[in-house]
Amino acid sequence: MGLVWRVGVGIVLVTLLAAGDARTRLYIGGMWPSTRNPFYFSAHADLAMRMAVKDVNSDVHLLPDHELILELYDSQCNVGLTLYQMNQILTSSRTAIALLGEACSPVTQPLAAASQYWNVSLFNFVSQSVKLDDRTEYSRYYHILPAETALNQARVHLLKTFNWRKSVIILQSSDVFTLSAKDLQDKVFNTSLDLPDLRVLPDTNDFNEIAQQVKETNVRVLFGFFYEEVARQVICTFYQNGMSAPNYVWILVGWYNSKTWYLANNDAVSCTNEQMKQALNGHFIVNFLQQTSDTTKQILKDRTVSDVVSEFRQRANISSHTPFSETFQQYSAFGYDVIIAMARMLDLAVHQMTATGEIHRINQFSYGDEGVANVFNAILENKSFSFEGLTGPVVFYNLLTAEEKRHVGTVQIQYVRTLVQQANQTTNVAVFHNRGSRVTELEGFQRIPWTTTNGEVPHDSPKIVSEVSDKGTFAAVVVVDSVCLILAIGLLFYISKHRKH
């Protein structure tokens, strides 16, 4: 009896294990800079992506007969290393149904160009170069994060709000920033504002000359279009040339590594921490809103935004008191959404090919099967492919028309004070909705704690104010001038009356 019982239990266990292995595995080859990352994208993105994979595999309504496996390689924002890793993925015995990566646009471009020749789709949620929108060059590339240019309508609104007619763009030479700077100038050109002056940083670390050039323009509203490491060097150099808060206002990108990015150790920066705080005490950051404000939205059948946020906080050791809008940083929420997008695409493809009796072509996908790759493309390029994600409505930005792109993206404008007891003080000023150019004021433009001496809005250039130090002298000059004017009028009258004589 005991032997029969043990044999029965063994059979049940084998059956359960077999059932557990019945799902077909679909591999995603990911290339992501987890370490030695010069552009400081969030390490939390790894966690967000893995959470999304877990949530997909736990959802019985999404890919119920398949299991997603995400294999991440540390690509370090290095072109050579990433291409080597891509080759490893594509020559492995485990065929990748899709690729994910990279974070840095210069690295993403060769990956996107190569993926089409392997008939494999490359997904992305960080790279913002407008060049990647070229469907001829990158026909199997898809990204969900709007380009850097989508922030410019909010930047123009900021200039208009404070009547800052004059501004200067300090630009690091990179196509991400170069194209965004040109787009900003184009948008300003169609307003009553002056066209922003453009200054390109040299390849060297000596920025004194460009600081002096900007200083001579007398313009005090400065757009910083540069990566984080260069940002510390530039802002320090400008400070050393007498160009800092509260007289100068920096408007920076909002995706640097942490709230105190300006305090990071850097041998190329000669400013102390206190000097860096002074240089930036009262600057703006402009960035995409990292997640939807509606926490009740369902992302998956049994997962709401609130569910994902709670788990993410717990696993990332983020305090439950952290504001909802600050839980996800450096686009990690977009990392969650891009995995969900891939899963939804695959789910639709599975249904289509099951109906035609061709599901085996997905289960045993090969890079030579252009037909399956075209099915994926057709699903992704269908205008109806959209869903509510952690970041709000998710669409593939590079598939939109120029007009449609103008209405995508929700932008957050924040004002940061650095000379405070805590790490810094951030005021969530407003949210700019590109759709309809609508503005939602949070704490509001009227409640900004300006760091100027009088607490008023700083000027875009020095204001000339006449001041008389000796009021007695001024009164005497006015009297003499008045007498002279009266005598001159009298003399003219006399000459006019007696000129015939």
Side-chain angles (χ1 to χ4, degrees), residues 169-239:
I169 300 172
I170 317 297
L171 173 69
Q172 181 178 359
S173 184
S174 165
D175 66 281
V176 174
F177 296 131
T178 301
L179 295 171
S180 185
K182 184 183 182 303
D183 179 78
L184 177 57
Q185 286 184 312
D186 291 343
K187 285 183 169 61
V188 170
F189 181 77
N190 296 319
T191 71
S192 60
L193 304 173
D194 294 350
L195 195 68
D197 191 8
L198 183 64
R199 303 287 171 155
V200 181
L201 295 170
D203 292 333
T204 65
N205 290 333
D206 186 356
F207 303 129
N208 281 289
E209 183 178 350
I210 200 167
Q212 283 302 311
Q213 291 174 1
V214 173
K215 192 173 186 178
E216 289 170 4
T217 67
N218 278 329
V219 177
R220 295 184 170 182
V221 176
L222 311 177
F223 285 102
F225 281 20
F226 30 62
Y227 290 112
E228 181 177 328
E229 187 168 325
V230 173
R232 284 191 284 270
Q233 299 173 44
V234 171
I235 291 165
C236 173
T237 302
F238 275 55
Y239 172 84

Side-chain angles (χ1 to χ4, degrees), residues 381-397:
E381 295 179 12
N382 190 314
K383 292 291 185 182
S384 64
F385 186 85
S386 179
F387 63 94
E388 285 291 332
L390 198 57
T391 59
V394 176
V395 296
F396 289 104
Y397 183 82

Side-chain angles (χ1 to χ4, degrees), residues 134-423:
D134 185 346
R135 297 303 294 162
T136 303
E137 187 75 16
Y138 310 113
S139 62
R140 298 200 189 279
Y141 173 75
Y142 303 91
H143 70 89
I144 63 173
L145 180 69
E148 173 73 17
T149 53
L151 298 170
N152 284 335
Q153 292 186 76
R155 289 173 174 136
V156 173
H157 182 80
L158 193 58
L159 295 177
K160 287 180 176 179
T161 298
F162 301 119
N163 196 29
W164 288 334
R165 296 181 60 86
K166 301 177 181 179
S167 59
V168 176
I169 300 172
I170 317 297
L171 173 69
Q172 181 178 359
S173 184
S174 165
D175 66 281
V176 174
F177 296 131
T178 301
L179 295 171
S180 185
K182 184 183 182 303
D183 179 78
L184 177 57
Q185 286 184 312
D186 291 343
K187 285 183 169 61
V188 170
F189 181 77
N190 296 319
T191 71
S192 60
L193 304 173
D194 294 350
L195 195 68
D197 191 8
L198 183 64
R199 303 287 171 155
V200 181
L201 295 170
D203 292 333
T204 65
N205 290 333
D206 186 356
F207 303 129
N208 281 289
E209 183 178 350
I210 200 167
Q212 283 302 311
Q213 291 174 1
V214 173
K215 192 173 186 178
E216 289 170 4
T217 67
N218 278 329
V219 177
R220 295 184 170 182
V221 176
L222 311 177
F223 285 102
F225 281 20
F226 30 62
Y227 290 112
E228 181 177 328
E229 187 168 325
V230 173
R232 284 191 284 270
Q233 299 173 44
V234 171
I235 291 165
C236 173
T237 302
F238 275 55
Y239 172 84
Q240 292 169 338
N241 281 271
M243 306 165 67
S244 66
N247 294 325
Y248 287 79
V249 179
W250 283 101
I251 303 174
L252 303 176
V253 297
W255 38 258
Y256 293 155
N257 188 42
S258 70
K259 286 186 174 183
T260 55
W261 60 269
Y262 46 88
L263 302 182
N265 293 326
N266 188 336
D267 294 337
V269 177
S270 57
C271 291
T272 65
N273 285 349
E274 287 304 310
Q275 288 172 333
M276 290 298 292
K277 288 180 180 180
Q278 176 61 60
L280 285 168
N281 189 36
H283 69 276
F284 285 93
I285 55 177
V286 181
N287 198 19
F288 295 107
L289 197 64
Q290 295 298 300
Q291 72 254 24
T292 179
S293 57
D294 188 351
T295 59
T296 64
K297 286 279 187 183
Q298 272 200 319
I299 301 175
L300 298 172
K301 186 69 174 178
D302 298 314
R303 293 287 276 175
T304 64
V305 171
S306 181
D307 295 332
V308 176
V309 170
S310 296
E311 182 180 344
F312 185 85
R313 282 175 174 162
Q314 183 179 8
R315 296 181 63 176
N317 295 318
I318 297 174
S319 168
S320 59
H321 300 295
T322 301
F324 179 76
S325 61
E326 297 178 14
T327 297
F328 293 91
Q329 298 295 323
Q330 287 73 47
Y331 305 130
S332 52
F334 287 92
Y336 184 95
D337 280 350
V338 79
I339 296 293
I340 302 300
M342 296 166 80
R344 289 183 179 277
M345 179 272 290
L346 290 168
D347 188 63
L348 288 171
V350 165
H351 280 86
Q352 286 185 24
M353 302 200 78
T354 299
T356 60
E358 298 178 291
I359 185 60
H360 63 279
R361 294 175 65 186
I362 290 181
N363 293 344
Q364 288 95 40
F365 175 68
S366 68
Y367 302 125
D369 195 338
E370 187 177 359
V372 173
N374 289 338
V375 168
F376 293 166
N377 269 34
I379 291 170
L380 295 169
E381 295 179 12
N382 190 314
K383 292 291 185 182
S384 64
F385 186 85
S386 179
F387 63 94
E388 285 291 332
L390 198 57
T391 59
V394 176
V395 296
F396 289 104
Y397 183 82
N398 60 317
L399 301 181
L400 303 177
T401 65
E403 179 60 26
E404 288 170 334
K405 289 176 181 177
R406 291 183 63 250
H407 304 291
V408 172
T410 302
V411 183
Q412 183 168 254
I413 302 172
Q414 296 176 301
Y415 182 76
V416 183
R417 299 175 66 190
T418 51
L419 282 178
V420 289
Q421 289 184 346
Q422 58 267 43

Side-chain angles (χ1 to χ4, degrees), residues 415 427 429 441-450:
Y415 182 76
T427 301
V429 177
E441 293 195 4
L442 300 176
E443 296 179 54
F445 288 114
Q446 282 71 44
R447 297 184 60 186
I448 293 177
W450 297 107

